Amino acid sequence: MSHMILGTGRYARKPYYVERFYVNLYSVEELCFLLVDKAEMLDQEIMQRDMVRWLDEECDVSDLAHALYALLNQKGSTAAYVGTILEYVSLYPSEVIARTEEIVRNGEGLSPHERHKAKADYLLKEKRYFAAMEVYQGLLAMLPDTESLLQAKILHNMGVACAGMFMFEQAAEWFMKSYEIDGRQESQMMYLASRRMNRSDKEYIDYIAEHPEYHDASLKVERLMERANGTFEGSDENRMLVTLQVFKEEGNGMFGNTAPYYNEIERLAAGLKEKYRAYTI
């Protein structure tokens, strides 16, 4: 069953051109979509009197326009400006509006490079790892040499994104590059954890033996790994695997075949693959 979305105001005869994003807007709903979609890149530049005039004269939302004029006169924040528009139109649920305001608020006062990173960080937080990697790599290409600390943070987060996609070899490389720049222990530990995930026990132990400077950090990594293993043991996927193992062992004696066991394994694997695909979109 389809759902009808009631419009607010009217469709503009003359569009409003948002130069920063190279787009023409014809309705207040299109403006809302832009604000939510580009939240990580918004700053005071979006707070324009000619936009408010357009909302008043072309979209016939005078009440909203008056509220925005008041914000402009009081030198209100970008987050308040965006939130006022989204709440008035009510196109999105309250949690989306609150999240958008938070993103805009966190971006206020940031440099263009920091704001660009904030966009990638948001994608990383949402587990859209592949999309985050593309933004991080683009930012690295334009970052000046003077921004070494920001570069280290970007490299670290690229390692996090690769680890989220189970690309531990690449993750280790990014973590090490980040550690070489700013020497943060967090990057060092993530580097060791990535190597731990991508090596056999013997290979990893031999590596630590060859690099005594990592000994203390490796002990912390092992404690974190044990904690992570405990978390997995309590997960739905692991409980399912244990149950299926019991089913398999009992099935061998009762039915003489393990077909149901392998069917369930395939179903569980398909579900995990689907989660992985969602993370990489």
Side-chain angles (χ1 to χ4, degrees):
M1 182 178 179
S2 60
H3 297 276
M4 181 181 296
I5 299 177
L6 298 177
T8 301
R10 66 168 181 247
Y11 196 76
R13 291 165 296 181
K14 295 180 181 179
Y16 180 78
Y17 181 64
V18 185
E19 185 175 357
R20 183 169 188 173
F21 301 113
Y22 310 102
V23 62
N24 278 318
L25 302 178
Y26 285 89
S27 68
V28 67
E29 287 83 9
E30 290 182 2
L31 173 59
C32 288
F33 176 81
L34 178 74
L35 296 177
V36 172
D37 187 56
K38 305 294 186 183
E40 301 86 356
M41 303 176 68
L42 298 179
D43 55 23
Q44 288 190 332
E45 186 180 328
I46 199 69
M47 302 171 63
Q48 300 292 331
R49 287 187 179 273
D50 59 347
M51 173 188 285
V52 179
R53 190 179 308 111
W54 173 78
L55 288 169
D56 187 7
E57 298 175 358
E58 289 293 330
C59 297
D60 195 26
V61 283
S62 298
D63 291 343
L64 172 60
H66 292 158
L68 294 177
Y69 276 131
L71 272 174
L72 292 176
N73 293 334
Q74 297 166 10
K75 300 187 184 301
S77 68
T78 308
Y81 183 90
V82 170
T84 298
I85 296 172
L86 295 178
E87 289 174 8
Y88 180 88
V89 180
S90 297
L91 183 64
Y92 293 96
S94 58
E95 58 268 22
V96 173
I97 296 175
R99 186 181 67 193
T100 303
E101 286 185 272
E102 181 183 3
I103 293 171
V104 176
R105 190 177 300 112
N106 291 339
E108 291 185 283
L110 297 180
S111 70
H113 291 135
E114 289 172 328
R115 192 174 294 109
H116 210 64
K117 177 180 174 292
K119 176 181 180 180
D121 290 347
Y122 171 75
L123 294 170
L124 181 64
K125 182 180 178 182
E126 293 292 307
K127 299 183 179 180
R128 295 175 59 185
Y129 301 123
F130 186 78
M133 282 294 293
E134 287 188 320
V135 179
Y136 284 133
Q137 289 174 328
L139 179 55
L140 274 181
M142 68 175 70
L143 206 62
D145 295 337
T146 54
E147 294 278 8
S148 59
L149 292 180
L150 184 58
Q151 183 184 38
K153 292 178 181 179
I154 294 169
L155 291 167
H156 178 93
N157 286 359
M158 289 173 69
V160 174
C162 285
M165 294 186 286
F166 312 110
M167 299 163 59
F168 297 112
E169 188 72 30
Q170 293 91 328
E173 293 179 8
W174 295 125
F175 287 130
M176 177 50 70
K177 288 181 178 180
S178 177
Y179 177 69
E180 289 172 345
I181 293 175
D182 66 3
R184 280 197 308 159
Q185 187 182 47
E186 181 185 3
S187 295
Q188 183 190 55
M189 290 178 62
M190 293 291 276
Y191 164 74
L192 293 175
S194 297
R195 289 194 67 96
R196 183 75 173 84
M197 293 294 293
N198 201 45
R199 299 287 189 277
S200 67
D201 289 347
K202 184 180 184 308
E203 288 174 331
Y204 180 72
I205 292 172
D206 289 345
Y207 177 78
I208 296 300
E210 294 169 2
H211 296 81
E213 68 273 21
Y214 294 148
H215 179 264
D216 291 344
S218 70
L219 295 179
K220 295 179 181 179
V221 168
E222 288 306 308
R223 287 195 290 270
L224 289 174
M225 296 290 285
E226 289 175 6
R227 190 185 309 167
N229 286 336
T231 301
F232 175 73
E233 287 172 1
S235 68
D236 292 339
E237 286 84 2
N238 189 59
R239 283 194 290 269
M240 177 66 75
L241 289 172
V242 172
T243 302
L244 290 173
Q245 180 63 31
V246 173
F247 179 74
K248 176 189 177 186
E249 293 170 357
E250 293 181 352
N252 280 333
M254 295 171 63
F255 306 109
N257 71 77
T258 59
Y261 167 79
Y262 288 111
N263 288 340
E264 286 299 310
I265 284 291
E266 288 181 4
R267 187 180 68 80
L268 178 60
L272 292 173
K273 288 177 181 177
E274 192 61 35
K275 286 184 181 180
Y276 174 73
R277 291 192 193 99
Y279 293 160
T280 57
I281 293 175

